[in-house]
């Protein structure tokens, strides 16, 4: 087969793919439907031209499509890694983790349910081994989410549904392919048919893929800073990564290559933005989107071209098998969507999904190129009997065609039937009133432009009148806003503010005033606020806004590592991340207050605008208090962070001035490039985030405490060996009433609140607590809670006794404090009695 003919054939496919995109938009169907249809027609036409006795003119080009120079293994190796990797780049991983329960059920659990439903339903009719029926079930368990996600975006469905469907597809492919490999091995005799061994093989392959994916992705991410100013090199490195991960796992590590690529993409998505410039990360995304479009379209067309060959010998009995397959697959998916998802909602492992959206997800379970490629690999497998190979390939191919032609063409009508494409009364009212305001602004701008450019007043009047009429019509239609309850208008305003918050985060990111390290956290928070506001209203907004203010599992883990293993690096990083997040959040909250006054209040009215302003101001004040709590403990670091932010702002303004001067031809290209280059070098030197010193050196803390500051160096060194520094966060419970006392605490900085049965009092710097239980041997008599960030010295019961024995003056002072506190407690208890 001549190379020029092959190149021409593939170029022709690219032309076909391009021309099908506007056709798909014109007919309102998913592009994958047309790609499958046209690919099948190309396969039929090529087969006819190759074997017809009427002419041999087209034999060479027809042979390329009838017997393409690429088999199923090459298709998987060339296209699958980049398709999986690009999908992970588009995911909001932090938000995906919030819905990990529904996603895992829809993906991993659904694969097993579909495989066994289909296998057991077909086995009595098929005349092939049960494992062959299960193999078919695993092949058709993979789903193609592109059409459903695109339609969800078109109709403005909650972003969470799109995330669930995309996350499902990604893990679904990984789980289904692992299961496919195991079942194929059992069928060919390469794997033991023992069920427990099969389960172990699945878990080993899956877990091994996770480990290899994480390790290799982190290695690639470490290289990215070396290519900081070379976006083309960064894209090239990212393109090599999924292929190297896939080959390493498939050929050497003997673990799931698909899982490894998915995990590597997730790690790269999480860590990559903090290693390269925002503009370069955007460029990388854009290039990958183009690569994925070529790959997904080509794999679909190539697989579809082979459909005529895969369905050869399709008999009437196969129609019955196909019907059973369709029903079993639909029932299996319905069991998961309508049966298991509500259970997760009841157990609070995921938010509830509306039944109308469940119906769309059910009907949107289309199969695509991965299913066709796996079916092709079965047809090419020499160790399988012709009966099994024919059974699997014919039904898998027929099922793909059914889902594309039936589900794909009826999905939008189903959405219209369920009225999911219609705006709610709240959104309709917002649209009308917003349109009225915008058209009024545009009319004024048009009139100003006419005056500035000396355009005839009659001409200007005609254009202005059009906008005046449209604004009047929109204002009349927006009268329904007044009919909405205040609660609805508050939600309407909060949703708009949440969307604006996301826009502000992206603006700060592109202006380089927000670091790549924290942008994903801010975007995740903005997305969570938007979702919860839509579902729970003002309460949801407040709950989502407060959630990032809490100390999450990651922070608690960093505290535990510091407390137990004396590893302080992670805690310092967590605190620095928190300060940066709070600082940018305060700035954005100020911008939201101004945006509410300028744009939202005219939409929703004065009274509701005031409610929104109160909500935003309360959030801003809470952020400010959290910043001040950190500033009290780390004033130098707070100053360094604020200096860095202002420096970034100055560089951004400087860059804008250079760019505008260049755009207006005030400076030439050489001078502009020199100025921008110098600015980039200066930025690189000062943009490193300052390091946070936790201030938890034991000797330093001992010197700050009034009990120990006067001791000589020898005793201080002895005490250093006994004491353990501890860092406490606001609201952290340090001692719980009723527990056994095994530690005493000395406060070097900060304050705590002590709550007994009868009294509440505060202790500050230079005080101690927890020693009474050590002296008396009785259970703790109070709860002790940190009021702010505290730096403490902790002393175990045995070391406490050793301390008192070595330092009589300290013992005397501690005994006095303990006696006074016990006397106060006894007095309070007596007065209560």
């Amino acid at each position: 087969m001549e190379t020029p003919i092959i190149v021409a054939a593939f170029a022709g496919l690219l032309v076909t793919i391009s021309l099908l995109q506007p056709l798909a938009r014109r007919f309102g169907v998913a592009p994958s439907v047309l790609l499958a249809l046209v690919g099948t027609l190309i396969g039929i036409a090529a087969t006819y031209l190759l074997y017809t006795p009427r002419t041999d003119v087209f034999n060479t080009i027809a042979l390329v499509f009838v017997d393409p120079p690429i088999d199923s293994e090459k298709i998987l190796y060339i296209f699958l890694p980049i398709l999986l990797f690009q999908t992970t780049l588009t995911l909001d991983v932090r938000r995906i983790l919030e819905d990990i329960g529904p996603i895992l059920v829809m993906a991993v659990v659904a694969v097993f349910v579909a495989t066994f439903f289909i296998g057991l339903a077909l086995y009595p009719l098929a005349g092939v081994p049960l494992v062959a029926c299960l193999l078919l079930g695993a092949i058709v368990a993979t789903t193609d989410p592109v059409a459903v996600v695109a339609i969800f975006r078109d109709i403005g469905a909650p972003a969470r549904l799109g995330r669930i469907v995309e996350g499902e597809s990604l893990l679904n492919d990984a789980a289904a392919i692992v299961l496919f490999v195991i079942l194929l091995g059992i069928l060919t005799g390469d794997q033991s048919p023992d069920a427990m061994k099969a389960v172990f093989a699945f878990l080993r392959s899956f877990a091994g893929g996770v480990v290899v994916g994480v390790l290799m992705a982190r290695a690639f991410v470490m290289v990215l800073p070396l290519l900081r100013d070379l976006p083309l090199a960064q894209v090239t490195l990212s393109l090599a990564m999924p292929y190297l991960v896939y080959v390493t796992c498939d050929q050497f590590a003997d673990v799931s290559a698909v899982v490894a690529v998915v995990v590597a993409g997730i790690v790269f998505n999480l860590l990559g933005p903090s290693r390269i410039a925002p503009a370069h990360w955007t460029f990388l995304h854009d290039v990958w989107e183009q690569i994925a479009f070529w790959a997904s379209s080509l794999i679909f067309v190539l697989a579809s071209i082979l459909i005529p060959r895969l369905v050869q010998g399709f008999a009437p009995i196969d129609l019955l098998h196909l019907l059973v397959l369709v029903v079993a697959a639909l029932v299996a998916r319905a069991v998961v969507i309508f049966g298991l998802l509500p259970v997760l909602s009841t157990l609070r492992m995921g938010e509830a999904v509306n039944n109308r959206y469940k119906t769309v997800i059910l009907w949107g379970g289309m199969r695509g190129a991965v299913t066709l490629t796996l079916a092709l690999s079965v047809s090419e497998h020499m160790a399988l009997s012709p009966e099994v190979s024919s059974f699997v390939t014919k039904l898998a191919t027929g099922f793909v065609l059914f889902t594309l032609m039936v589900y794909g063409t009826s999905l939008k009508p189903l959405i219209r039937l369920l009225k999911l494409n219609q705006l709610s009364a709240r959104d309709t009212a917002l649209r009308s009133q917003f349109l009225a305001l915008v058209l009024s602004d545009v009319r004024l701008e048009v009139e100003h432009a006419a005056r500035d450019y000396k355009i005839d007043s009659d001409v200007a009047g005609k254009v202005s009148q059009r906008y005046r009429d449209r604004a009047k019509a929109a204002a009349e239609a927006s009268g329904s806003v007044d009919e909405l309850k205040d609660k609805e208008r508050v939600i309407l305003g909060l949703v708009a503010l949440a969307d604006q918050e996301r826009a502000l985060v992206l603006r700060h990111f592109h202006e380089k005033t927000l670091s790549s390290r924290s942008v994903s956290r801010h975007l995740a928070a903005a997305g969570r606020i938007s979702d919860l506001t839509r579902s729970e209203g003002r309460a949801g907004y407040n709950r989502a806004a407060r959630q990032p203010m809490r100390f999450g599992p990651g922070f608690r883990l960093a505290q535990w590592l510091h407390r137990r293993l004396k590893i302080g690096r992670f805690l310092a990083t967590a605190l620095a991340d928190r300060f940066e997040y709070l600082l940018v959040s305060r700035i954005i909250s100020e911008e939201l207050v101004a945006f509410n006054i300028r744009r939202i209040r005219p939409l929703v009215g004065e009274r509701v605008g005031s409610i929104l302003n109160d909500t935003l101001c309360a959030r801003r004040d809470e952020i400010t208090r959290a910043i001040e709590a950190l500033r009290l403990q780390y004033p130098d670091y707070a100053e360094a962070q604020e200096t860095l932010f202002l420096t970034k702002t100055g560089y951004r303004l400087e860059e804008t001035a250079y760019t505008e001067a260049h755009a207006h031809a005030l400076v030439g290209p050489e001078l502009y490039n020199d100025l921008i280059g110098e600015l980039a070098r200066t930025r690189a030197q000062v943009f490193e985030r300052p390091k946070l010193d936790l201030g938890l050196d034991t000797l330093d803390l001992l010197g700050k405490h009034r009990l120990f500051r006067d001791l000589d160096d020898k005793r201080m060194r002895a005490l250093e060996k006994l004491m353990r520094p501890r860092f406490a966060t606001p609201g952290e419970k340090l001692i719980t009433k009723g527990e056994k006392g095994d530690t005493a605490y000395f406060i070097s900085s900060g304050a705590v609140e002590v709550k007994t049965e009868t009294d509440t009092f505060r202790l500050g710097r230079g005080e101690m607590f927890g020693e009474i239980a050590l002296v008396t041997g009785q259970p703790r008599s109070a709860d002790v809670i940190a009021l702010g960030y505290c730096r403490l010295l902790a002393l175990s019961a045995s070391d406490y006794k050793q301390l008192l024995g070595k330092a009589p003056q300290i013992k005397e002072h501690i005994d006095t404090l303990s006696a006074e506190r016990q006397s106060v407690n006894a007095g309070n208890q007596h007065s209560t009695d």
Side-chain angles (χ1 to χ4, degrees), residues 229-303:
D229 298 320
L230 301 168
L232 295 176
Q234 291 165 351
V235 172
T236 305
L237 183 72
S238 69
L239 182 61
M241 189 180 83
Y243 285 115
L244 288 175
V245 171
Y246 194 93
V247 172
T248 299
C249 293
D250 192 56
Q251 296 296 318
F252 305 107
D254 192 26
V255 295
S256 173
V258 176
V259 173
V261 172
V262 169
V263 172
I266 290 173
V267 173
F268 191 86
N269 189 6
L270 280 173
L271 304 181
S274 63
R275 303 302 198 276
I276 61 179
H280 296 170
W281 183 256
T282 302
F283 174 73
L284 184 145
H285 261 267
D286 293 341
V287 173
W288 267 101
E289 187 175 355
Q290 182 64 67
I291 293 173
F293 171 73
W294 289 333
S296 61
S297 300
L298 280 172
I299 191 174
F300 222 109
V301 172
L302 288 171

Side-chain angles (χ1 to χ4, degrees), residues 129-186:
L130 175 61
V131 177
C133 297
L134 294 174
L135 179 69
L136 174 61
I139 290 174
V140 301
T142 60
T143 57
D144 183 358
V146 175
V148 181
V149 172
I151 291 173
F152 277 171
R153 288 172 182 161
D154 288 343
I155 65 174
R160 176 171 169 266
L161 291 177
R163 291 196 301 270
I164 290 176
V165 173
E166 285 184 307
E168 172 214 356
S169 173
L170 197 62
L171 296 178
N172 175 290
D173 287 350
I177 292 175
V178 172
L179 189 58
F180 165 81
V181 171
I182 292 172
L183 291 171
L184 185 64
I186 293 174

Side-chain angles (χ1 to χ4, degrees), residues 629-649:
L630 269 171
R631 190 192 303 276
L632 284 173
Q633 286 296 324
Y634 304 105
D636 294 339
Y637 186 77
E639 181 180 338
Q641 279 280 22
E642 290 172 338
T643 301
L644 178 61
F645 181 85
L646 283 179
T647 304
K648 289 181 178 181
T649 302

Side-chain angles (χ1 to χ4, degrees), residues 104-115 141 168 172 332-333 336:
L104 286 175
V105 168
M106 293 284 293
V108 180
V109 176
V111 165
F112 284 96
V113 172
T115 299
E168 172 214 356
N172 175 290
R333 192 165 174 81
V336 173

Side-chain angles (χ1 to χ4, degrees), residues 498-511:
D499 293 339
Q500 175 65 11
E501 182 168 347
R502 176 180 174 82
L504 290 172
V505 168
L506 291 173
R507 194 198 76 196
H508 280 287
F509 178 58
H510 290 299
E511 291 177 350

Side-chain angles (χ1 to χ4, degrees), residues 7-20 293-295 297-298:
V7 173
F10 275 87
L13 289 181
L14 291 175
V15 172
T16 303
I17 289 167
S18 300
L19 296 177
L20 286 178
F293 171 73
W294 289 333
S297 300
L298 280 172

Side-chain angles (χ1 to χ4, degrees), residues 32 72 75-76 79-84 87 135-136 138-146 169-170 172-178 180 246 258 295-296 298-304 310 366-378 396-397 400 404:
S32 55
S72 61
I75 290 175
L76 287 174
F79 296 116
L80 190 58
I82 55 179
L83 286 175
L84 294 171
T87 303
L135 179 69
L136 174 61
I139 290 174
V140 301
T142 60
T143 57
D144 183 358
V146 175
S169 173
L170 197 62
N172 175 290
D173 287 350
I177 292 175
V178 172
F180 165 81
Y246 194 93
V258 176
S296 61
L298 280 172
I299 191 174
F300 222 109
V301 172
L302 288 171
S304 301
L310 295 176
M366 288 179 281
R367 273 59 172 182
V370 174
T371 302
L372 287 175
T373 306
L374 293 178
L376 177 62
S377 69
V378 170
T397 306
V400 170
L404 290 173

